[in-house]
Each structure stands twice: as C-alpha cells, then as structure tokens.
Amino acid sequence: MARKDNKERKPIWTARFVVHEHHAKRAGLHYDLRLEVPKRKILWSFASRHKLPLKAGIRRLLIKQEDHDPYWLDFEGKIPPGEYGAGTLKIWDKGEYTLWSRKNNKVFVVEFKGKRLKGKYALVHTSGDNYLFLKMTDKGD
C-alpha cells in the first residue's frame, strides 16, 4: 500500500503559536516557543537560549516550561519585578502551526506558518524536560 503524503493525510490539529524574545531579569535573554493545544485551552511552552532555527541543519535545545494560559499568545510588554519571568517580552514570531504527527508523545512533526518560522520542524523529546528542535527541510519555503 502506498504511503500518503501530508496533502492527503489529515492533521491532528491546527492552532496558533507565538515565539517571545524574553529579556528576563533572572534568566537573561532567551526565546519562548508557545504552542496552543486547542482541546485543553493551554499553551505548551518551551525555552531556548538561542533564536529558533530558520534553516535546515540547525538544532536547538528546548527546555519544557510550565503550561501557560492562551492570554500569552498576544502579549507584548513588561512583566513587573517580583513576578515570575520579570522582564520584557517582545513577539519575535507568531502565526499558525499544524501538528501532523506525534509518536508516543516523544516525536512531534509540526508545520509552522509564521513570518519567520515556516515549514516543517521536528520536536523530539530526549530526556527529562529536554527537547531537540530542528527544521526538517528548506524545500518550498
């Protein structure tokens, strides 16, 4: 039996995402990737010390953070001193993503449609709260 390509395969879901450039008082500059989980009305959140990859072949370590409220999808501004994550958040990218597959909740294939993040990416659970994030291909971008 021939394998269907993604144009024929149904996605698991399509939802919104945001990437914040976070200048935190304690943690310093980092990037927060937040993926909306539609049925649960939460954002899966991950932090990276580096900008997320825009080209294939570049890998980033993402650290899973606590789930966030969907409020953060549109937030830009200052988090006051004394609050968790105190500092400045700027939207680095936002748009929609499609979750195409998830294998044993360890390997996720997502397609981003943002201004910067475009195309298919893999999010691979390695251990604990650690995930490897990489762009799968530059074709068609």
Side-chain angles (χ1 to χ4, degrees):
M1 179 189 319
R3 195 169 128 186
K4 296 179 180 181
D5 65 25
N6 282 341
K7 291 179 184 172
E8 297 175 21
R9 189 182 308 166
K10 290 183 181 178
I12 295 170
W13 68 61
T14 297
R16 298 173 294 169
F17 80 93
V18 67
V19 178
H20 285 115
E21 181 179 303
H22 191 172
H23 296 266
K25 299 287 185 210
R26 289 185 64 190
L29 174 62
H30 64 278
Y31 294 82
D32 295 315
L33 170 64
R34 305 189 200 286
L35 303 172
E36 182 179 37
V37 181
K39 291 183 181 181
R40 295 183 54 205
K41 295 185 169 80
I42 60 165
L43 304 176
W44 285 336
S45 296
F46 304 86
S48 173
R49 285 277 169 215
H50 304 282
K51 287 182 184 176
L52 300 182
L54 302 178
K55 295 183 179 183
I58 299 171
R59 300 173 184 181
R60 293 289 182 248
L61 171 66
L62 298 184
I63 309 296
K64 180 77 170 83
Q65 306 296 303
E66 66 184 39
D67 294 338
H68 281 58
D69 187 276
Y71 162 83
W72 295 97
L73 283 165
D74 297 310
F75 182 83
E76 268 193 317
K78 291 188 184 259
I79 299 171
E83 298 277 328
Y84 175 76
T88 304
L89 284 178
K90 288 175 46 177
I91 293 177
W92 184 79
D93 198 14
K94 70 186 289 186
E96 285 191 341
Y97 80 98
T98 299
L99 177 62
W100 284 105
S101 68
R102 61 178 173 203
K103 185 174 183 180
N104 299 323
N105 283 330
K106 298 227 179 237
V107 179
F108 302 85
V109 175
V110 296
E111 183 175 5
F112 288 95
K113 293 178 183 160
K115 292 192 186 237
R116 294 183 177 183
L117 291 181
K118 296 177 183 180
K120 287 190 181 170
Y121 286 75
L123 184 61
V124 181
H125 182 247
T126 57
S127 65
D129 290 332
N130 298 330
Y131 288 77
L132 183 64
F133 184 71
L134 58 119
K135 186 163 188 183
M136 295 172 66
T137 180
D138 284 326
K139 293 179 184 177
D141 292 344

